PDB file of all heavy atoms in Angstrom:
ATOM      1  N   PHE A  29     -63.254 -30.288  78.023  1.00 93.00           N
ATOM      2  CA  PHE A  29     -62.379 -30.536  76.868  1.00 93.00           C
ATOM      3  C   PHE A  29     -61.535 -29.293  76.587  1.00 93.00           C
ATOM      4  O   PHE A  29     -61.721 -28.607  75.581  1.00 93.00           O
ATOM      5  CB  PHE A  29     -63.224 -30.892  75.631  1.00 93.00           C
ATOM      6  CG  PHE A  29     -64.177 -32.021  75.890  1.00 93.00           C
ATOM      7  CD1 PHE A  29     -65.492 -31.768  76.238  1.00 93.00           C
ATOM      8  CD2 PHE A  29     -63.747 -33.343  75.822  1.00 93.00           C
ATOM      9  CE1 PHE A  29     -66.377 -32.805  76.500  1.00 93.00           C
ATOM     10  CE2 PHE A  29     -64.616 -34.379  76.089  1.00 93.00           C
ATOM     11  CZ  PHE A  29     -65.933 -34.111  76.428  1.00 93.00           C
ATOM     12  N   PRO A  30     -60.593 -28.980  77.477  1.00 94.00           N
ATOM     13  CA  PRO A  30     -59.838 -27.732  77.341  1.00 94.00           C
ATOM     14  C   PRO A  30     -58.947 -27.643  76.103  1.00 94.00           C
ATOM     15  O   PRO A  30     -58.640 -26.548  75.640  1.00 94.00           O
ATOM     16  CB  PRO A  30     -58.993 -27.676  78.623  1.00 94.00           C
ATOM     17  CG  PRO A  30     -58.914 -29.090  79.088  1.00 94.00           C
ATOM     18  CD  PRO A  30     -60.185 -29.754  78.644  1.00 94.00           C
ATOM     19  N   GLU A  31     -58.558 -28.766  75.538  1.00 95.00           N
ATOM     20  CA  GLU A  31     -57.611 -28.747  74.426  1.00 95.00           C
ATOM     21  C   GLU A  31     -58.251 -28.895  73.049  1.00 95.00           C
ATOM     22  O   GLU A  31     -57.578 -28.705  72.035  1.00 95.00           O
ATOM     23  CB  GLU A  31     -56.573 -29.854  74.607  1.00 95.00           C
ATOM     24  CG  GLU A  31     -55.748 -29.729  75.886  1.00 95.00           C
ATOM     25  CD  GLU A  31     -54.969 -28.425  75.959  1.00 95.00           C
ATOM     26  OE1 GLU A  31     -54.426 -27.984  74.930  1.00 95.00           O
ATOM     27  OE2 GLU A  31     -54.925 -27.841  77.055  1.00 95.00           O
ATOM     28  N   ILE A  32     -59.533 -29.236  72.972  1.00 96.00           N
ATOM     29  CA  ILE A  32     -60.148 -29.484  71.669  1.00 96.00           C
ATOM     30  C   ILE A  32     -60.262 -28.168  70.884  1.00 96.00           C
ATOM     31  O   ILE A  32     -60.666 -27.148  71.436  1.00 96.00           O
ATOM     32  CB  ILE A  32     -61.521 -30.183  71.795  1.00 96.00           C
ATOM     33  CG1 ILE A  32     -61.931 -30.768  70.448  1.00 96.00           C
ATOM     34  CG2 ILE A  32     -62.595 -29.253  72.325  1.00 96.00           C
ATOM     35  CD1 ILE A  32     -62.993 -31.832  70.536  1.00 96.00           C
ATOM     36  N   PRO A  33     -59.876 -28.173  69.618  1.00 97.00           N
ATOM     37  CA  PRO A  33     -60.051 -26.962  68.804  1.00 97.00           C
ATOM     38  C   PRO A  33     -61.545 -26.636  68.673  1.00 97.00           C
ATOM     39  O   PRO A  33     -62.354 -27.494  68.328  1.00 97.00           O
ATOM     40  CB  PRO A  33     -59.459 -27.359  67.450  1.00 97.00           C
ATOM     41  CG  PRO A  33     -58.521 -28.487  67.755  1.00 97.00           C
ATOM     42  CD  PRO A  33     -59.162 -29.225  68.894  1.00 97.00           C
ATOM     43  N   LEU A  34     -61.891 -25.404  68.973  1.00 96.00           N
ATOM     44  CA  LEU A  34     -63.290 -24.976  69.044  1.00 96.00           C
ATOM     45  C   LEU A  34     -63.446 -23.678  68.250  1.00 96.00           C
ATOM     46  O   LEU A  34     -62.768 -22.693  68.521  1.00 96.00           O
ATOM     47  CB  LEU A  34     -63.673 -24.768  70.505  1.00 96.00           C
ATOM     48  CG  LEU A  34     -65.075 -24.305  70.844  1.00 96.00           C
ATOM     49  CD1 LEU A  34     -66.124 -25.285  70.339  1.00 96.00           C
ATOM     50  CD2 LEU A  34     -65.203 -24.126  72.351  1.00 96.00           C
ATOM     51  N   TYR A  35     -64.335 -23.713  67.257  1.00 95.00           N
ATOM     52  CA  TYR A  35     -64.549 -22.567  66.382  1.00 95.00           C
ATOM     53  C   TYR A  35     -66.007 -22.157  66.399  1.00 95.00           C
ATOM     54  O   TYR A  35     -66.899 -23.004  66.370  1.00 95.00           O
ATOM     55  CB  TYR A  35     -64.141 -22.896  64.933  1.00 95.00           C
ATOM     56  CG  TYR A  35     -62.652 -22.973  64.782  1.00 95.00           C
ATOM     57  CD1 TYR A  35     -61.956 -24.120  65.133  1.00 95.00           C
ATOM     58  CD2 TYR A  35     -61.931 -21.880  64.322  1.00 95.00           C
ATOM     59  CE1 TYR A  35     -60.583 -24.183  65.025  1.00 95.00           C
ATOM     60  CE2 TYR A  35     -60.553 -21.942  64.207  1.00 95.00           C
ATOM     61  CZ  TYR A  35     -59.888 -23.094  64.559  1.00 95.00           C
ATOM     62  OH  TYR A  35     -58.525 -23.140  64.452  1.00 95.00           O
ATOM     63  N   SER A  36     -66.243 -20.865  66.400  1.00 92.00           N
ATOM     64  CA  SER A  36     -67.596 -20.335  66.318  1.00 92.00           C
ATOM     65  C   SER A  36     -68.012 -20.228  64.857  1.00 92.00           C
ATOM     66  O   SER A  36     -67.221 -19.830  64.001  1.00 92.00           O
ATOM     67  CB  SER A  36     -67.647 -18.943  66.949  1.00 92.00           C
ATOM     68  OG  SER A  36     -68.929 -18.378  66.780  1.00 92.00           O
ATOM     69  N   LEU A  37     -69.257 -20.577  64.579  1.00 91.00           N
ATOM     70  CA  LEU A  37     -69.894 -20.287  63.296  1.00 91.00           C
ATOM     71  C   LEU A  37     -70.802 -19.107  63.583  1.00 91.00           C
ATOM     72  O   LEU A  37     -71.733 -19.220  64.384  1.00 91.00           O
ATOM     73  CB  LEU A  37     -70.688 -21.486  62.792  1.00 91.00           C
ATOM     74  CG  LEU A  37     -69.881 -22.759  62.562  1.00 91.00           C
ATOM     75  CD1 LEU A  37     -70.789 -23.899  62.139  1.00 91.00           C
ATOM     76  CD2 LEU A  37     -68.793 -22.539  61.520  1.00 91.00           C
ATOM     77  N   THR A  38     -70.539 -17.974  62.977  1.00 90.00           N
ATOM     78  CA  THR A  38     -71.188 -16.748  63.406  1.00 90.00           C
ATOM     79  C   THR A  38     -71.589 -15.844  62.250  1.00 90.00           C
ATOM     80  O   THR A  38     -71.040 -15.947  61.159  1.00 90.00           O
ATOM     81  CB  THR A  38     -70.243 -15.972  64.358  1.00 90.00           C
ATOM     82  OG1 THR A  38     -70.918 -14.827  64.861  1.00 90.00           O
ATOM     83  CG2 THR A  38     -68.968 -15.548  63.656  1.00 90.00           C
ATOM     84  N   THR A  39     -72.521 -14.963  62.533  1.00 87.00           N
ATOM     85  CA  THR A  39     -72.863 -13.883  61.612  1.00 87.00           C
ATOM     86  C   THR A  39     -72.309 -12.561  62.140  1.00 87.00           C
ATOM     87  O   THR A  39     -72.524 -11.516  61.544  1.00 87.00           O
ATOM     88  CB  THR A  39     -74.386 -13.761  61.425  1.00 87.00           C
ATOM     89  OG1 THR A  39     -74.985 -13.550  62.697  1.00 87.00           O
ATOM     90  CG2 THR A  39     -74.954 -14.995  60.769  1.00 87.00           C
ATOM     91  N   ASN A  40     -71.589 -12.614  63.246  1.00 78.00           N
ATOM     92  CA  ASN A  40     -71.015 -11.429  63.873  1.00 78.00           C
ATOM     93  C   ASN A  40     -70.016 -10.781  62.919  1.00 78.00           C
ATOM     94  O   ASN A  40     -69.053 -11.413  62.491  1.00 78.00           O
ATOM     95  CB  ASN A  40     -70.323 -11.824  65.182  1.00 78.00           C
ATOM     96  CG  ASN A  40     -69.760 -10.643  65.928  1.00 78.00           C
ATOM     97  OD1 ASN A  40     -69.473  -9.599  65.375  1.00 78.00           O
ATOM     98  ND2 ASN A  40     -69.589 -10.819  67.231  1.00 78.00           N
ATOM     99  N   THR A  41     -70.226  -9.520  62.607  1.00 73.00           N
ATOM    100  CA  THR A  41     -69.326  -8.823  61.682  1.00 73.00           C
ATOM    101  C   THR A  41     -68.543  -7.715  62.382  1.00 73.00           C
ATOM    102  O   THR A  41     -68.068  -6.792  61.742  1.00 73.00           O
ATOM    103  CB  THR A  41     -70.121  -8.233  60.502  1.00 73.00           C
ATOM    104  OG1 THR A  41     -71.120  -7.346  61.018  1.00 73.00           O
ATOM    105  CG2 THR A  41     -70.758  -9.328  59.673  1.00 73.00           C
ATOM    106  N   ALA A  42     -68.411  -7.810  63.682  1.00 73.00           N
ATOM    107  CA  ALA A  42     -67.651  -6.807  64.438  1.00 73.00           C
ATOM    108  C   ALA A  42     -66.208  -6.754  63.953  1.00 73.00           C
ATOM    109  O   ALA A  42     -65.638  -7.762  63.525  1.00 73.00           O
ATOM    110  CB  ALA A  42     -67.690  -7.129  65.926  1.00 73.00           C
ATOM    111  N   ILE A  43     -65.619  -5.597  64.019  1.00 69.00           N
ATOM    112  CA  ILE A  43     -64.254  -5.397  63.527  1.00 69.00           C
ATOM    113  C   ILE A  43     -63.238  -6.214  64.316  1.00 69.00           C
ATOM    114  O   ILE A  43     -62.324  -6.792  63.751  1.00 69.00           O
ATOM    115  CB  ILE A  43     -63.882  -3.894  63.569  1.00 69.00           C
ATOM    116  CG1 ILE A  43     -64.769  -3.138  62.570  1.00 69.00           C
ATOM    117  CG2 ILE A  43     -62.414  -3.691  63.256  1.00 69.00           C
ATOM    118  CD1 ILE A  43     -64.628  -1.641  62.631  1.00 69.00           C
ATOM    119  N   GLU A  44     -63.377  -6.309  65.598  1.00 77.00           N
ATOM    120  CA  GLU A  44     -62.403  -6.994  66.457  1.00 77.00           C
ATOM    121  C   GLU A  44     -62.795  -8.450  66.728  1.00 77.00           C
ATOM    122  O   GLU A  44     -62.684  -8.937  67.842  1.00 77.00           O
ATOM    123  CB  GLU A  44     -62.251  -6.232  67.781  1.00 77.00           C
ATOM    124  CG  GLU A  44     -61.807  -4.800  67.626  1.00 77.00           C
ATOM    125  CD  GLU A  44     -60.410  -4.668  67.030  1.00 77.00           C
ATOM    126  OE1 GLU A  44     -59.567  -5.541  67.274  1.00 77.00           O
ATOM    127  OE2 GLU A  44     -60.170  -3.680  66.321  1.00 77.00           O
ATOM    128  N   ARG A  45     -63.254  -9.160  65.718  1.00 81.00           N
ATOM    129  CA  ARG A  45     -63.740 -10.534  65.900  1.00 81.00           C
ATOM    130  C   ARG A  45     -62.682 -11.464  66.480  1.00 81.00           C
ATOM    131  O   ARG A  45     -62.974 -12.264  67.345  1.00 81.00           O
ATOM    132  CB  ARG A  45     -64.237 -11.111  64.579  1.00 81.00           C
ATOM    133  CG  ARG A  45     -65.566 -10.586  64.173  1.00 81.00           C
ATOM    134  CD  ARG A  45     -66.010 -11.280  62.940  1.00 81.00           C
ATOM    135  NE  ARG A  45     -65.224 -10.789  61.814  1.00 81.00           N
ATOM    136  CZ  ARG A  45     -65.602 -10.799  60.575  1.00 81.00           C
ATOM    137  NH1 ARG A  45     -66.772 -11.306  60.259  1.00 81.00           N
ATOM    138  NH2 ARG A  45     -64.856 -10.329  59.619  1.00 81.00           N
ATOM    139  N   ASP A  46     -61.452 -11.418  65.966  1.00 86.00           N
ATOM    140  CA  ASP A  46     -60.409 -12.337  66.441  1.00 86.00           C
ATOM    141  C   ASP A  46     -60.266 -12.256  67.952  1.00 86.00           C
ATOM    142  O   ASP A  46     -60.320 -13.262  68.647  1.00 86.00           O
ATOM    143  CB  ASP A  46     -59.052 -12.031  65.794  1.00 86.00           C
ATOM    144  CG  ASP A  46     -58.982 -12.478  64.353  1.00 86.00           C
ATOM    145  OD1 ASP A  46     -59.664 -13.446  63.979  1.00 86.00           O
ATOM    146  OD2 ASP A  46     -58.223 -11.853  63.592  1.00 86.00           O
ATOM    147  N   GLU A  47     -60.068 -11.057  68.449  1.00 88.00           N
ATOM    148  CA  GLU A  47     -59.880 -10.863  69.884  1.00 88.00           C
ATOM    149  C   GLU A  47     -61.134 -11.263  70.663  1.00 88.00           C
ATOM    150  O   GLU A  47     -61.042 -11.888  71.718  1.00 88.00           O
ATOM    151  CB  GLU A  47     -59.529  -9.409  70.181  1.00 88.00           C
ATOM    152  CG  GLU A  47     -58.169  -9.020  69.643  1.00 88.00           C
ATOM    153  CD  GLU A  47     -57.895  -7.529  69.807  1.00 88.00           C
ATOM    154  OE1 GLU A  47     -58.495  -6.900  70.692  1.00 88.00           O
ATOM    155  OE2 GLU A  47     -57.074  -7.023  69.030  1.00 88.00           O
ATOM    156  N   TYR A  48     -62.294 -10.921  70.141  1.00 87.00           N
ATOM    157  CA  TYR A  48     -63.554 -11.233  70.810  1.00 87.00           C
ATOM    158  C   TYR A  48     -63.731 -12.737  70.980  1.00 87.00           C
ATOM    159  O   TYR A  48     -63.975 -13.224  72.086  1.00 87.00           O
ATOM    160  CB  TYR A  48     -64.715 -10.638  70.018  1.00 87.00           C
ATOM    161  CG  TYR A  48     -66.083 -11.065  70.516  1.00 87.00           C
ATOM    162  CD1 TYR A  48     -66.603 -10.529  71.696  1.00 87.00           C
ATOM    163  CD2 TYR A  48     -66.835 -11.983  69.814  1.00 87.00           C
ATOM    164  CE1 TYR A  48     -67.849 -10.917  72.158  1.00 87.00           C
ATOM    165  CE2 TYR A  48     -68.086 -12.380  70.273  1.00 87.00           C
ATOM    166  CZ  TYR A  48     -68.582 -11.847  71.443  1.00 87.00           C
ATOM    167  OH  TYR A  48     -69.811 -12.240  71.898  1.00 87.00           O
ATOM    168  N   PHE A  49     -63.605 -13.503  69.904  1.00 90.00           N
ATOM    169  CA  PHE A  49     -63.837 -14.944  69.988  1.00 90.00           C
ATOM    170  C   PHE A  49     -62.754 -15.653  70.788  1.00 90.00           C
ATOM    171  O   PHE A  49     -63.039 -16.579  71.540  1.00 90.00           O
ATOM    172  CB  PHE A  49     -64.022 -15.552  68.596  1.00 90.00           C
ATOM    173  CG  PHE A  49     -65.367 -15.225  68.011  1.00 90.00           C
ATOM    174  CD1 PHE A  49     -65.475 -14.321  66.983  1.00 90.00           C
ATOM    175  CD2 PHE A  49     -66.514 -15.799  68.521  1.00 90.00           C
ATOM    176  CE1 PHE A  49     -66.721 -13.995  66.458  1.00 90.00           C
ATOM    177  CE2 PHE A  49     -67.762 -15.482  68.010  1.00 90.00           C
ATOM    178  CZ  PHE A  49     -67.868 -14.576  66.971  1.00 90.00           C
ATOM    179  N   LYS A  50     -61.525 -15.217  70.665  1.00 91.00           N
ATOM    180  CA  LYS A  50     -60.457 -15.835  71.461  1.00 91.00           C
ATOM    181  C   LYS A  50     -60.643 -15.530  72.942  1.00 91.00           C
ATOM    182  O   LYS A  50     -60.390 -16.383  73.786  1.00 91.00           O
ATOM    183  CB  LYS A  50     -59.091 -15.409  70.944  1.00 91.00           C
ATOM    184  CG  LYS A  50     -58.805 -16.099  69.617  1.00 91.00           C
ATOM    185  CD  LYS A  50     -57.442 -15.831  69.090  1.00 91.00           C
ATOM    186  CE  LYS A  50     -57.313 -16.601  67.771  1.00 91.00           C
ATOM    187  NZ  LYS A  50     -56.043 -16.408  67.144  1.00 91.00           N
ATOM    188  N   SER A  51     -61.132 -14.341  73.279  1.00 91.00           N
ATOM    189  CA  SER A  51     -61.368 -14.002  74.688  1.00 91.00           C
ATOM    190  C   SER A  51     -62.506 -14.848  75.273  1.00 91.00           C
ATOM    191  O   SER A  51     -62.579 -15.053  76.469  1.00 91.00           O
ATOM    192  CB  SER A  51     -61.691 -12.514  74.847  1.00 91.00           C
ATOM    193  OG  SER A  51     -62.998 -12.216  74.382  1.00 91.00           O
ATOM    194  N   MET A  52     -63.399 -15.350  74.412  1.00 91.00           N
ATOM    195  CA  MET A  52     -64.505 -16.197  74.862  1.00 91.00           C
ATOM    196  C   MET A  52     -64.079 -17.655  75.013  1.00 91.00           C
ATOM    197  O   MET A  52     -64.813 -18.464  75.567  1.00 91.00           O
ATOM    198  CB  MET A  52     -65.669 -16.117  73.873  1.00 91.00           C
ATOM    199  CG  MET A  52     -66.389 -14.787  73.917  1.00 91.00           C
ATOM    200  SD  MET A  52     -67.741 -14.676  72.701  1.00 91.00           S
ATOM    201  CE  MET A  52     -68.668 -16.140  73.016  1.00 91.00           C
ATOM    202  N   GLY A  53     -62.893 -18.028  74.502  1.00 94.00           N
ATOM    203  CA  GLY A  53     -62.425 -19.400  74.632  1.00 94.00           C
ATOM    204  C   GLY A  53     -62.382 -20.183  73.336  1.00 94.00           C
ATOM    205  O   GLY A  53     -62.014 -21.353  73.320  1.00 94.00           O
ATOM    206  N   TYR A  54     -62.789 -19.547  72.240  1.00 95.00           N
ATOM    207  CA  TYR A  54     -62.706 -20.193  70.934  1.00 95.00           C
ATOM    208  C   TYR A  54     -61.270 -20.112  70.407  1.00 95.00           C
ATOM    209  O   TYR A  54     -60.519 -19.209  70.763  1.00 95.00           O
ATOM    210  CB  TYR A  54     -63.603 -19.477  69.918  1.00 95.00           C
ATOM    211  CG  TYR A  54     -65.078 -19.638  70.117  1.00 95.00           C
ATOM    212  CD1 TYR A  54     -65.840 -18.620  70.689  1.00 95.00           C
ATOM    213  CD2 TYR A  54     -65.742 -20.785  69.696  1.00 95.00           C
ATOM    214  CE1 TYR A  54     -67.213 -18.744  70.839  1.00 95.00           C
ATOM    215  CE2 TYR A  54     -67.115 -20.921  69.846  1.00 95.00           C
ATOM    216  CZ  TYR A  54     -67.844 -19.903  70.409  1.00 95.00           C
ATOM    217  OH  TYR A  54     -69.191 -20.034  70.561  1.00 95.00           O
ATOM    218  N   ASN A  55     -60.935 -21.034  69.514  1.00 96.00           N
ATOM    219  CA  ASN A  55     -59.660 -20.942  68.796  1.00 96.00           C
ATOM    220  C   ASN A  55     -59.782 -19.947  67.645  1.00 96.00           C
ATOM    221  O   ASN A  55     -58.785 -19.420  67.167  1.00 96.00           O
ATOM    222  CB  ASN A  55     -59.252 -22.303  68.232  1.00 96.00           C
ATOM    223  CG  ASN A  55     -58.911 -23.270  69.332  1.00 96.00           C
ATOM    224  OD1 ASN A  55     -59.798 -23.805  69.972  1.00 96.00           O
ATOM    225  ND2 ASN A  55     -57.636 -23.482  69.566  1.00 96.00           N
ATOM    226  N   GLY A  56     -60.996 -19.745  67.163  1.00 93.00           N
ATOM    227  CA  GLY A  56     -61.247 -18.841  66.050  1.00 93.00           C
ATOM    228  C   GLY A  56     -62.707 -18.901  65.658  1.00 93.00           C
ATOM    229  O   GLY A  56     -63.548 -19.374  66.419  1.00 93.00           O
ATOM    230  N   TYR A  57     -63.007 -18.447  64.445  1.00 92.00           N
ATOM    231  CA  TYR A  57     -64.392 -18.379  63.993  1.00 92.00           C
ATOM    232  C   TYR A  57     -64.441 -18.492  62.478  1.00 92.00           C
ATOM    233  O   TYR A  57     -63.446 -18.284  61.779  1.00 92.00           O
ATOM    234  CB  TYR A  57     -65.030 -17.053  64.424  1.00 92.00           C
ATOM    235  CG  TYR A  57     -64.371 -15.875  63.745  1.00 92.00           C
ATOM    236  CD1 TYR A  57     -64.878 -15.383  62.550  1.00 92.00           C
ATOM    237  CD2 TYR A  57     -63.222 -15.297  64.260  1.00 92.00           C
ATOM    238  CE1 TYR A  57     -64.252 -14.337  61.897  1.00 92.00           C
ATOM    239  CE2 TYR A  57     -62.597 -14.260  63.627  1.00 92.00           C
ATOM    240  CZ  TYR A  57     -63.107 -13.775  62.439  1.00 92.00           C
ATOM    241  OH  TYR A  57     -62.487 -12.749  61.785  1.00 92.00           O
ATOM    242  N   LEU A  58     -65.611 -18.828  61.973  1.00 93.00           N
ATOM    243  CA  LEU A  58     -65.906 -18.794  60.547  1.00 93.00           C
ATOM    244  C   LEU A  58     -67.213 -18.038  60.401  1.00 93.00           C
ATOM    245  O   LEU A  58     -68.165 -18.264  61.153  1.00 93.00           O
ATOM    246  CB  LEU A  58     -66.050 -20.200  59.973  1.00 93.00           C
ATOM    247  CG  LEU A  58     -64.784 -21.053  59.980  1.00 93.00           C
ATOM    248  CD1 LEU A  58     -65.107 -22.480  59.552  1.00 93.00           C
ATOM    249  CD2 LEU A  58     -63.724 -20.465  59.082  1.00 93.00           C
ATOM    250  N   VAL A  59     -67.259 -17.107  59.445  1.00 91.00           N
ATOM    251  CA  VAL A  59     -68.448 -16.295  59.234  1.00 91.00           C
ATOM    252  C   VAL A  59     -69.421 -17.030  58.323  1.00 91.00           C
ATOM    253  O   VAL A  59     -69.030 -17.619  57.322  1.00 91.00           O
ATOM    254  CB  VAL A  59     -68.056 -14.930  58.611  1.00 91.00           C
ATOM    255  CG1 VAL A  59     -69.303 -14.115  58.279  1.00 91.00           C
ATOM    256  CG2 VAL A  59     -67.153 -14.156  59.553  1.00 91.00           C
ATOM    257  N   LYS A  60     -70.703 -17.015  58.723  1.00 91.00           N
ATOM    258  CA  LYS A  60     -71.756 -17.620  57.916  1.00 91.00           C
ATOM    259  C   LYS A  60     -72.239 -16.621  56.879  1.00 91.00           C
ATOM    260  O   LYS A  60     -72.346 -15.440  57.199  1.00 91.00           O
ATOM    261  CB  LYS A  60     -72.932 -18.053  58.798  1.00 91.00           C
ATOM    262  CG  LYS A  60     -72.582 -19.108  59.810  1.00 91.00           C
ATOM    263  CD  LYS A  60     -73.795 -19.597  60.580  1.00 91.00           C
ATOM    264  CE  LYS A  60     -74.269 -18.601  61.593  1.00 91.00           C
ATOM    265  NZ  LYS A  60     -75.353 -19.075  62.454  1.00 91.00           N
ATOM    266  N   PRO A  61     -72.534 -17.039  55.664  1.00 93.00           N
ATOM    267  CA  PRO A  61     -72.372 -18.401  55.165  1.00 93.00           C
ATOM    268  C   PRO A  61     -70.893 -18.755  55.076  1.00 93.00           C
ATOM    269  O   PRO A  61     -70.054 -17.927  54.697  1.00 93.00           O
ATOM    270  CB  PRO A  61     -73.036 -18.399  53.790  1.00 93.00           C
ATOM    271  CG  PRO A  61     -73.026 -16.961  53.373  1.00 93.00           C
ATOM    272  CD  PRO A  61     -73.061 -16.138  54.630  1.00 93.00           C
ATOM    273  N   VAL A  62     -70.577 -19.975  55.449  1.00 94.00           N
ATOM    274  CA  VAL A  62     -69.188 -20.414  55.565  1.00 94.00           C
ATOM    275  C   VAL A  62     -68.573 -20.636  54.184  1.00 94.00           C
ATOM    276  O   VAL A  62     -69.161 -21.288  53.327  1.00 94.00           O
ATOM    277  CB  VAL A  62     -69.104 -21.707  56.405  1.00 94.00           C
ATOM    278  CG1 VAL A  62     -67.691 -22.241  56.439  1.00 94.00           C
ATOM    279  CG2 VAL A  62     -69.614 -21.448  57.809  1.00 94.00           C
ATOM    280  N   ASP A  63     -67.382 -20.078  54.001  1.00 95.00           N
ATOM    281  CA  ASP A  63     -66.602 -20.277  52.783  1.00 95.00           C
ATOM    282  C   ASP A  63     -66.024 -21.694  52.830  1.00 95.00           C
ATOM    283  O   ASP A  63     -65.281 -22.030  53.762  1.00 95.00           O
ATOM    284  CB  ASP A  63     -65.476 -19.237  52.749  1.00 95.00           C
ATOM    285  CG  ASP A  63     -64.525 -19.387  51.584  1.00 95.00           C
ATOM    286  OD1 ASP A  63     -64.386 -20.499  51.030  1.00 95.00           O
ATOM    287  OD2 ASP A  63     -63.889 -18.374  51.239  1.00 95.00           O
ATOM    288  N   PRO A  64     -66.344 -22.549  51.850  1.00 95.00           N
ATOM    289  CA  PRO A  64     -65.880 -23.941  51.877  1.00 95.00           C
ATOM    290  C   PRO A  64     -64.358 -24.078  51.953  1.00 95.00           C
ATOM    291  O   PRO A  64     -63.858 -24.974  52.626  1.00 95.00           O
ATOM    292  CB  PRO A  64     -66.412 -24.537  50.570  1.00 95.00           C
ATOM    293  CG  PRO A  64     -67.492 -23.626  50.123  1.00 95.00           C
ATOM    294  CD  PRO A  64     -67.187 -22.272  50.699  1.00 95.00           C
TER     295      PRO A  64
END
């Protein structure tokens, strides 16, 4: 499913999160606990 939007739910608080998750193939991420 190469085109499906894919987001990580994570506790990762690394400074370079955007680049990290996009390099893994995610479209982005949401930090847990997730802001509604």
